Amino acid sequence: MPGEDIEHTGIMRARTSVIEGKDGKQSGIITIIHDVTYEREVDRMKTEFVSTAAHELRTPLTSIQGFSEILLARDNITDEERKKFLSYINEQAVNLAEIVNDLLDISRIESERGFTLNKVQCEIDEIIRRVIPHFQDMSSKHRFEVALTDKHIELFADRDKMEQVLSNILSNAVKYSPEGGIIRVVGEVIANAEARNAESKPKMEYQVSVEDEGIGLSPEQIEKIFDKFYRADASDSAPEGTGLGMTIIKYIVEAHSGKVWVESELGKGTAVRFMIPIS
Amino acid sequence: MKKILIVDDQLQIRELVEVTLRGEDCLILQAKSGEEAIKIVKAEKPDLIIMDVMMPGKIDGLEATRILKNDPETKDCTIIMLTAKGQEADREKGLEAGADDYFTKPFSPLELIRKVEEILG
């Protein structure tokens, strides 16, 4: 079409109707061409998402359905096995709940209703110390090094959401350093020279870094890391994940007027850092 | 005694299939990857292989099935694909690779027993 950008490729939908005159004879044709490129892209993403979500839900469901059916149907199960199978069912139910929470969070972000933040004064170092043992229990391969400030630091923040941010970051660190290694968690107070308060003193910020010795990310992967549904490795053999974790982290941190970023090198490891202003 | 090989990278799923088939008159073998599965199949010649599709490493379940079904030495083993993928296209990919049957996760252990009994006769 004249004036159109010839580089532009899109999907058009054409609908044609015949116009009939009073005599019943065909007197013309109307064709409406509609650019549906965007709609198709949204549909494609939705389909991809549904299939990813369904796959993520199926893995824990397999254990839950399978082991519960075995426990119900069999009487030749030892006490020890019964306990083990119940712990599998429980573990996978917790997993399932986390996946569902991620999906709900993202749908809230999407609909722009956002989270309701329940901000209170909370000691961030205490939250960090509470979250880490959960991952220590999960992985015997990784060694956790924790370096926090000597003094307790209080932030005006939503405690549960802060826990969620830390858990998401730590879970990635464990998942994407499959050979194990050290996971370093550093919490420190940093003076932000660029942002100044009313007395033109630098604003104080609390910065948390989680560093792993894992597979790392390429610059292209880092660029997309906060995109919804983006997974650095989406192959069949990749660690499980919905590709929503980092998107949710970014949203939560920004809702606390903070910032989150990633530094990484392929094969060397990844550092995820976030900072929250100290009120 | 019939030999059954379970191939899955997840320990929980291998345990689930193993406990499911307990009580059947058979010997149960386990492999964690496609590579390991091929080695065991060559050495042990199992009657039935229950194979997961998605596994880390160079050889996933589809590729392992293809290799086993193209090798005159191992092509007679019956292979059931067991995977979280349930879409028609994936089912076809599995059958194209040479799988004899297909089971979708999550599955009912009792149904799996019925399927295994039907295949092993």
Side-chain angles (χ1 to χ4, degrees):
Chain A
M1 265 178 270
E4 283 270 311
D5 179 2
I6 39 169
E7 293 290 308
H8 175 87
T9 52
I11 300 163
M12 303 290 161
R13 187 184 61 208
R15 282 207 173 128
T16 303
S17 332
V18 174
I19 310 293
E20 284 181 5
K22 275 188 188 147
D23 55 3
K25 282 189 184 153
Q26 184 180 322
S27 64
I29 290 173
I30 295 180
T31 301
I32 300 168
I33 298 173
H34 193 104
D35 185 342
V36 291
T37 315
Y38 177 71
E39 282 89 335
R40 289 293 166 85
E41 178 59 16
V42 170
D43 280 351
R44 193 192 57 78
M45 283 178 68
K46 210 160 59 186
T47 309
E48 203 177 283
F49 172 61
V50 169
S51 97
T52 309
H55 177 230
E56 287 306 311
L57 296 174
R58 265 194 191 137
T59 307
L61 278 173
T62 303
S63 278
I64 295 174
Q65 183 182 347
F67 285 111
S68 61
E69 196 175 308
I70 290 287
L71 285 170
L72 285 169
R74 291 281 172 82
D75 37 26
N76 58 348
I77 307 277
T78 64
D79 277 356
E80 203 183 318
E81 279 178 324
R82 183 184 313 278
K83 227 178 178 172
K84 184 165 75 176
F85 296 165
L86 281 170
S87 78
Y88 287 164
I89 294 171
N90 180 259
E91 181 189 306
Q92 296 296 353
V94 170
N95 249 338
L96 207 54
E98 277 171 16
I99 296 168
V100 170
N101 279 341
D102 272 6
L103 295 175
L104 288 174
D105 278 350
I106 212 77
S107 110
R108 275 192 212 110
I109 294 173
E110 290 294 278
S111 64
E112 282 164 18
R113 273 176 293 149
F115 297 122
T116 14
L117 287 182
N118 179 20
K119 283 191 185 175
V120 291
Q121 289 294 339
C122 52
E123 286 171 354
I124 181 73
D125 35 312
E126 176 247 349
I127 297 176
I128 298 173
R129 275 187 229 280
R130 204 157 30 134
V131 172
I132 290 172
H134 176 70
F135 292 92
Q136 275 168 324
D137 289 347
M138 241 171 56
S139 166
S140 50
K141 276 195 203 163
H142 299 87
R143 211 169 80 232
F144 288 80
E145 279 183 8
V146 186
L148 303 176
T149 47
D150 296 334
K151 220 174 67 180
H152 287 310
I153 303 295
E154 281 210 340
L155 292 180
F156 189 57
D158 185 311
R159 195 186 291 267
D160 293 339
K161 295 279 185 275
M162 283 294 117
E163 260 191 54
Q164 194 182 350
V165 168
L166 281 162
S167 296
N168 273 345
I169 298 176
L170 284 166
S171 137
N172 279 342
V174 169
K175 272 197 282 193
Y176 292 98
S177 48
E179 304 302 323
I182 296 168
I183 294 177
R184 262 176 74 77
V185 184
V186 181
E188 55 201 326
V189 176
I190 284 179
N192 185 343
E194 286 161 34
R196 288 177 185 272
N197 62 12
E199 292 105 57
S200 76
K201 281 193 185 131
K203 276 197 174 159
M204 302 311 274
E205 290 166 350
Y206 192 80
Q207 182 178 309
V208 180
S209 302
V210 177
E211 297 162 9
D212 67 50
E213 298 178 334
I215 50 178
L217 294 160
S218 69
E220 297 77 36
Q221 288 172 325
I222 293 177
E223 208 173 290
K224 295 196 190 118
I225 196 80
F226 295 108
D227 289 359
K228 209 176 13 167
F229 308 130
Y230 177 73
R231 298 177 65 207
D233 180 359
S235 70
D236 284 354
S237 53
E240 283 160 23
T242 48
L244 296 175
M246 293 301 276
T247 315
I248 295 170
I249 290 171
K250 185 166 193 271
Y251 190 85
I252 295 175
V253 169
E254 287 177 357
H256 283 87
S257 314
K259 214 176 92 186
V260 56
W261 68 101
V262 173
E263 293 158 19
S264 182
E265 207 179 313
L266 276 178
K268 291 264 170 69
T270 301
V272 180
R273 304 185 209 282
F274 70 91
M275 67 81 185
I276 306 281
I278 299 173
S279 43
Chain B
M1 197 190 282
K2 302 276 190 188
K3 282 185 197 166
I4 302 179
L5 171 65
I6 306 163
V7 192
D8 201 307
D9 58 315
Q10 284 173 296
L11 173 68
Q12 268 187 26
I13 304 300
R14 294 201 303 275
E15 275 185 63
L16 175 61
V17 178
E18 167 151 32
V19 70
T20 298
L21 298 176
R22 183 190 297 170
E24 300 294 302
D25 187 26
C26 58
L27 179 71
I28 295 174
L29 309 164
Q30 295 192 15
K32 292 191 284 291
S33 67
E35 286 92 336
E36 207 182 333
I38 290 167
K39 262 187 224 148
I40 295 178
V41 173
K42 290 201 165 161
E44 299 284 340
K45 303 275 170 359
D47 302 274
L48 173 66
I49 304 166
I50 298 173
M51 177 95 77
D52 185 38
V53 167
M54 292 195 214
M55 284 181 292
K58 288 202 174 62
I59 303 178
D60 66 2
L62 286 174
E63 186 56 27
T65 302
R66 225 169 272 136
I67 292 170
L68 291 170
K69 286 292 185 181
N70 279 318
D71 186 338
E73 204 190 331
T74 54
K75 71 174 176 26
D76 294 329
C77 304
T78 304
I79 301 181
I80 302 181
M81 286 281 191
L82 185 61
T83 174
K85 283 189 172 178
Q87 285 143 354
E88 268 311 302
D90 297 311
R91 181 187 296 255
E92 269 157 35
K93 263 191 233 162
L95 297 178
E96 257 169 46
D100 299 275
D101 216 320
Y102 198 94
F103 231 69
T104 307
K105 291 177 185 175
F107 62 93
S108 155
L110 299 181
E111 272 174 39
L112 182 67
I113 295 177
R114 271 198 288 277
K115 173 80 67 189
V116 169
E117 283 176 347
E118 188 189 301
I119 288 171
L120 295 180

PDB file of all heavy atoms in Angstrom, chain B residues 107-119:
ATOM      1  N   PHE B 107      -0.077 -40.123  36.164  1.00  0.00           N
ATOM      2  CA  PHE B 107      -0.727 -41.369  35.780  1.00  0.00           C
ATOM      3  C   PHE B 107      -1.195 -42.125  37.014  1.00  0.00           C
ATOM      4  O   PHE B 107      -0.741 -41.871  38.125  1.00  0.00           O
ATOM      5  CB  PHE B 107       0.237 -42.240  34.968  1.00  0.00           C
ATOM      6  CG  PHE B 107       1.468 -42.641  35.736  1.00  0.00           C
ATOM      7  CD1 PHE B 107       1.505 -43.839  36.438  1.00  0.00           C
ATOM      8  CD2 PHE B 107       2.588 -41.817  35.757  1.00  0.00           C
ATOM      9  CE1 PHE B 107       2.646 -44.203  37.145  1.00  0.00           C
ATOM     10  CE2 PHE B 107       3.734 -42.181  36.466  1.00  0.00           C
ATOM     11  CZ  PHE B 107       3.757 -43.378  37.161  1.00  0.00           C
ATOM     12  N   SER B 108      -2.119 -43.037  36.778  1.00  0.00           N
ATOM     13  CA  SER B 108      -2.591 -43.872  37.872  1.00  0.00           C
ATOM     14  C   SER B 108      -1.726 -45.121  37.906  1.00  0.00           C
ATOM     15  O   SER B 108      -1.659 -45.857  36.923  1.00  0.00           O
ATOM     16  CB  SER B 108      -4.053 -44.238  37.625  1.00  0.00           C
ATOM     17  OG  SER B 108      -4.347 -45.445  38.288  1.00  0.00           O
ATOM     18  N   PRO B 109      -1.058 -45.396  39.049  1.00  0.00           N
ATOM     19  CA  PRO B 109      -0.206 -46.587  39.137  1.00  0.00           C
ATOM     20  C   PRO B 109      -0.976 -47.867  38.801  1.00  0.00           C
ATOM     21  O   PRO B 109      -0.439 -48.755  38.136  1.00  0.00           O
ATOM     22  CB  PRO B 109       0.250 -46.586  40.592  1.00  0.00           C
ATOM     23  CG  PRO B 109       0.222 -45.158  41.000  1.00  0.00           C
ATOM     24  CD  PRO B 109      -0.941 -44.555  40.261  1.00  0.00           C
ATOM     25  N   LEU B 110      -2.232 -47.938  39.217  1.00  0.00           N
ATOM     26  CA  LEU B 110      -3.001 -49.156  38.955  1.00  0.00           C
ATOM     27  C   LEU B 110      -3.213 -49.360  37.449  1.00  0.00           C
ATOM     28  O   LEU B 110      -3.176 -50.476  36.950  1.00  0.00           O
ATOM     29  CB  LEU B 110      -4.345 -49.107  39.689  1.00  0.00           C
ATOM     30  CG  LEU B 110      -4.236 -49.006  41.218  1.00  0.00           C
ATOM     31  CD1 LEU B 110      -5.613 -48.990  41.867  1.00  0.00           C
ATOM     32  CD2 LEU B 110      -3.389 -50.137  41.806  1.00  0.00           C
ATOM     33  N   GLU B 111      -3.413 -48.244  36.740  1.00  0.00           N
ATOM     34  CA  GLU B 111      -3.547 -48.348  35.281  1.00  0.00           C
ATOM     35  C   GLU B 111      -2.238 -48.769  34.630  1.00  0.00           C
ATOM     36  O   GLU B 111      -2.238 -49.515  33.650  1.00  0.00           O
ATOM     37  CB  GLU B 111      -3.992 -47.010  34.688  1.00  0.00           C
ATOM     38  CG  GLU B 111      -5.497 -46.863  34.660  1.00  0.00           C
ATOM     39  CD  GLU B 111      -5.902 -45.472  34.208  1.00  0.00           C
ATOM     40  OE1 GLU B 111      -5.243 -44.925  33.302  1.00  0.00           O
ATOM     41  OE2 GLU B 111      -6.858 -44.932  34.780  1.00  0.00           O
ATOM     42  N   LEU B 112      -1.145 -48.273  35.207  1.00  0.00           N
ATOM     43  CA  LEU B 112       0.163 -48.645  34.655  1.00  0.00           C
ATOM     44  C   LEU B 112       0.393 -50.154  34.807  1.00  0.00           C
ATOM     45  O   LEU B 112       0.890 -50.812  33.898  1.00  0.00           O
ATOM     46  CB  LEU B 112       1.282 -47.852  35.340  1.00  0.00           C
ATOM     47  CG  LEU B 112       2.695 -48.127  34.791  1.00  0.00           C
ATOM     48  CD1 LEU B 112       2.862 -47.641  33.362  1.00  0.00           C
ATOM     49  CD2 LEU B 112       3.767 -47.484  35.670  1.00  0.00           C
ATOM     50  N   ILE B 113      -0.001 -50.694  35.963  1.00  0.00           N
ATOM     51  CA  ILE B 113       0.137 -52.145  36.186  1.00  0.00           C
ATOM     52  C   ILE B 113      -0.666 -52.907  35.120  1.00  0.00           C
ATOM     53  O   ILE B 113      -0.169 -53.860  34.515  1.00  0.00           O
ATOM     54  CB  ILE B 113      -0.367 -52.555  37.592  1.00  0.00           C
ATOM     55  CG1 ILE B 113       0.533 -51.932  38.656  1.00  0.00           C
ATOM     56  CG2 ILE B 113      -0.385 -54.076  37.729  1.00  0.00           C
ATOM     57  CD1 ILE B 113       0.071 -52.221  40.067  1.00  0.00           C
ATOM     58  N   ARG B 114      -1.889 -52.455  34.892  1.00  0.00           N
ATOM     59  CA  ARG B 114      -2.735 -53.130  33.890  1.00  0.00           C
ATOM     60  C   ARG B 114      -2.054 -53.127  32.523  1.00  0.00           C
ATOM     61  O   ARG B 114      -2.013 -54.127  31.829  1.00  0.00           O
ATOM     62  CB  ARG B 114      -4.091 -52.437  33.794  1.00  0.00           C
ATOM     63  CG  ARG B 114      -5.105 -53.006  34.783  1.00  0.00           C
ATOM     64  CD  ARG B 114      -6.527 -52.632  34.401  1.00  0.00           C
ATOM     65  NE  ARG B 114      -6.796 -51.229  34.650  1.00  0.00           N
ATOM     66  CZ  ARG B 114      -7.156 -50.735  35.844  1.00  0.00           C
ATOM     67  NH1 ARG B 114      -7.326 -51.543  36.862  1.00  0.00           N
ATOM     68  NH2 ARG B 114      -7.386 -49.465  36.000  1.00  0.00           N
ATOM     69  N   LYS B 115      -1.495 -51.954  32.177  1.00  0.00           N
ATOM     70  CA  LYS B 115      -0.820 -51.818  30.883  1.00  0.00           C
ATOM     71  C   LYS B 115       0.374 -52.761  30.805  1.00  0.00           C
ATOM     72  O   LYS B 115       0.558 -53.471  29.812  1.00  0.00           O
ATOM     73  CB  LYS B 115      -0.386 -50.350  30.736  1.00  0.00           C
ATOM     74  CG  LYS B 115       0.463 -50.011  29.574  1.00  0.00           C
ATOM     75  CD  LYS B 115      -0.232 -49.830  28.256  1.00  0.00           C
ATOM     76  CE  LYS B 115      -1.144 -48.663  28.147  1.00  0.00           C
ATOM     77  NZ  LYS B 115      -1.962 -48.574  26.970  1.00  0.00           N
ATOM     78  N   VAL B 116       1.165 -52.807  31.892  1.00  0.00           N
ATOM     79  CA  VAL B 116       2.352 -53.663  31.913  1.00  0.00           C
ATOM     80  C   VAL B 116       1.953 -55.138  31.811  1.00  0.00           C
ATOM     81  O   VAL B 116       2.558 -55.909  31.049  1.00  0.00           O
ATOM     82  CB  VAL B 116       3.182 -53.397  33.190  1.00  0.00           C
ATOM     83  CG1 VAL B 116       4.273 -54.457  33.371  1.00  0.00           C
ATOM     84  CG2 VAL B 116       3.828 -52.001  33.131  1.00  0.00           C
ATOM     85  N   GLU B 117       0.914 -55.524  32.526  1.00  0.00           N
ATOM     86  CA  GLU B 117       0.463 -56.929  32.496  1.00  0.00           C
ATOM     87  C   GLU B 117      -0.018 -57.297  31.102  1.00  0.00           C
ATOM     88  O   GLU B 117       0.214 -58.408  30.614  1.00  0.00           O
ATOM     89  CB  GLU B 117      -0.652 -57.152  33.527  1.00  0.00           C
ATOM     90  CG  GLU B 117      -0.083 -57.261  34.946  1.00  0.00           C
ATOM     91  CD  GLU B 117      -1.163 -57.378  36.005  1.00  0.00           C
ATOM     92  OE1 GLU B 117      -2.357 -57.135  35.697  1.00  0.00           O
ATOM     93  OE2 GLU B 117      -0.817 -57.693  37.166  1.00  0.00           O
ATOM     94  N   GLU B 118      -0.705 -56.331  30.471  1.00  0.00           N
ATOM     95  CA  GLU B 118      -1.209 -56.558  29.125  1.00  0.00           C
ATOM     96  C   GLU B 118      -0.045 -56.784  28.149  1.00  0.00           C
ATOM     97  O   GLU B 118      -0.097 -57.688  27.316  1.00  0.00           O
ATOM     98  CB  GLU B 118      -1.985 -55.272  28.749  1.00  0.00           C
ATOM     99  CG  GLU B 118      -2.771 -55.266  27.489  1.00  0.00           C
ATOM    100  CD  GLU B 118      -3.259 -53.830  27.238  1.00  0.00           C
ATOM    101  OE1 GLU B 118      -3.979 -53.280  28.117  1.00  0.00           O
ATOM    102  OE2 GLU B 118      -2.911 -53.255  26.188  1.00  0.00           O
ATOM    103  N   ILE B 119       1.001 -55.986  28.309  1.00  0.00           N
ATOM    104  CA  ILE B 119       2.136 -56.084  27.387  1.00  0.00           C
ATOM    105  C   ILE B 119       2.967 -57.337  27.645  1.00  0.00           C
ATOM    106  O   ILE B 119       3.346 -58.036  26.710  1.00  0.00           O
ATOM    107  CB  ILE B 119       3.039 -54.816  27.499  1.00  0.00           C
ATOM    108  CG1 ILE B 119       2.304 -53.624  26.860  1.00  0.00           C
ATOM    109  CG2 ILE B 119       4.393 -55.040  26.825  1.00  0.00           C
ATOM    110  CD1 ILE B 119       2.956 -52.306  27.079  1.00  0.00           C
TER     111      ILE B 119
END
